[in-house]
């Protein structure tokens, strides 16, 4: 039996389980069956379920012979349904937008120190991509001059760190490269250069995530 799960977490797991049970037309479910599914003792399930009944998350039926059986309440069902729909929406956006998906991996690792180490081929690829992005920026007639010059300086700074084999914080990559290229893309640039910058961003992001 899993005794490490907290009382609060157990309540959340019971609500999720009974949400799924409702969708399977399982009706009211007893604590022993819930406990078997969650690998928790029936007594702990009863304690947690009783608390959920008081909160209005569960409905209970009591029988003198078989004891209590539980079913998710309408409001709790709607709450779980709404939350899961939002989670699926986020997953869908991430899977359809590789830049967003990479950013979601890069952002939490801002303080992590990384380097390309002995992987010279990836380091060379990163440097080549930075040079191609810089060329696209300098070739554009549409981008704001100040934004272009600032971005080029930042890209050159990070390229120098990679060329010297230095360790760098993931947050430094995001500040010097990721956010700068994104700003250029979002502020408008010719389509041909936009495609090149989007490709550069995805490739560089993939290389950085692989260093974690």
């Amino acid at each position: 039996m899993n005794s490490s799960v907290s009382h609060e977490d157990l309540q959340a797991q019971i609500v999720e389980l009974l949400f799924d049970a409702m969708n399977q037309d399982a009706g009211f479910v007893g604590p022993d069956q819930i406990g078997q599914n969650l690998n928790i003792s029936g007594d702990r399930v009863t304690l947690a379920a009783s608390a959920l009944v008081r909160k209005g998350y569960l409905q209970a039926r009591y029988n003198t012979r078989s004891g209590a059986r539980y079913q998710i309440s309408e409001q709790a069902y709607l709450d779980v349904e709404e939350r899961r729909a939002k989670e699926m929406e986020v997953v869908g956006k991430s899977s359809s937008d590789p830049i967003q998906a990479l950013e979601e991996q890069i952002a939490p690792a801002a303080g992590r120190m990384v380097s390309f180490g002995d992987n010279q081929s990836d380091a060379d690829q990163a440097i080549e991509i930075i040079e191609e992005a810089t060329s696209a920026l300098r070739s554009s007639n549409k981008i704001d001059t100040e934004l272009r010059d600032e971005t080029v300086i930042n890209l050159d700074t990070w390229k120098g760190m990679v060329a010297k084999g230095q360790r760098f914080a993931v947050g430094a990559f995001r500040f010097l490269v990721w956010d700068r290229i994104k700003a250029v893309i979002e502020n408008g640039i010719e389509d041909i250069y936009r495609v090149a910058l989007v490709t550069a961003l995805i490739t560089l992001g993939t290389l950085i995530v692989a260093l974690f």
Side-chain angles (χ1 to χ4, degrees):
M1 291 292 175
N2 185 358
S3 60
S4 62
V5 63
S6 70
H7 188 58
E8 184 177 351
D9 286 344
L10 177 55
Q11 291 180 49
Q13 290 179 28
I14 291 172
V15 171
E16 295 287 334
L17 179 68
L18 293 183
F19 175 88
D20 294 332
M22 175 70 78
N23 288 329
Q24 297 166 11
D25 295 325
F28 283 77
V29 183
D32 289 339
Q33 183 178 347
I34 295 172
Q36 185 177 0
N37 279 276
L38 299 179
N39 195 29
I40 295 287
S41 71
D43 289 340
R44 283 204 63 194
V45 170
T46 298
L47 188 64
S50 297
L52 289 168
V53 170
R54 292 193 296 270
K55 294 176 182 178
Y57 295 161
L58 298 186
Q59 298 173 342
R61 283 182 180 173
Y62 299 97
N63 185 290
T64 54
R65 296 180 61 185
S66 59
R69 298 174 69 83
Y70 304 98
Q71 185 179 72
I72 191 170
S73 69
E74 180 181 8
Q75 186 56 56
Y77 181 92
L78 293 174
D79 289 345
V80 174
E81 186 176 52
E82 181 180 4
R83 178 180 55 75
R84 289 192 180 185
K86 288 180 179 178
E87 289 174 351
M88 289 300 295
E89 183 179 353
V90 170
V91 170
K93 287 181 179 178
S94 296
S95 61
S96 62
D97 185 347
I99 291 178
Q100 180 181 338
L102 285 166
E103 188 164 313
E104 288 173 357
Q105 297 179 72
I106 291 169
R112 185 173 298 183
M113 297 297 296
V114 297
S115 75
F116 287 98
D118 296 330
N119 195 338
Q120 191 59 45
S121 61
D122 281 358
D124 290 343
Q125 184 181 8
I127 291 171
E128 182 180 353
I129 293 168
I130 290 294
E131 291 174 346
E132 291 173 354
T134 301
S135 177
L137 291 168
R138 287 176 170 155
S139 300
S140 172
N141 295 315
K142 187 176 180 180
I143 185 175
D144 176 77
T145 302
E146 184 177 350
L147 177 59
R148 179 197 64 202
D149 292 346
E150 180 180 310
T151 303
V152 167
I153 290 171
N154 280 275
L155 295 186
D156 283 345
T157 298
W158 188 74
K159 184 181 74 171
M161 296 168 67
V162 175
K164 294 175 183 177
Q166 295 178 352
R167 287 170 59 80
F168 56 88
V170 174
F173 164 78
R174 181 171 183 180
F175 175 77
L176 293 171
V177 179
W178 187 270
D179 289 347
R180 303 303 177 184
I181 295 179
K182 270 194 70 178
V184 171
I185 294 170
E186 292 168 356
N187 277 272
I189 191 171
E190 294 91 335
D191 286 345
I192 185 172
Y193 301 129
R194 182 182 184 279
V195 171
L197 291 178
V198 168
T199 301
L201 205 59
I202 293 172
T203 306
L204 287 168
T206 302
L207 288 173
I208 295 302
V209 168
L211 298 178
F212 294 177

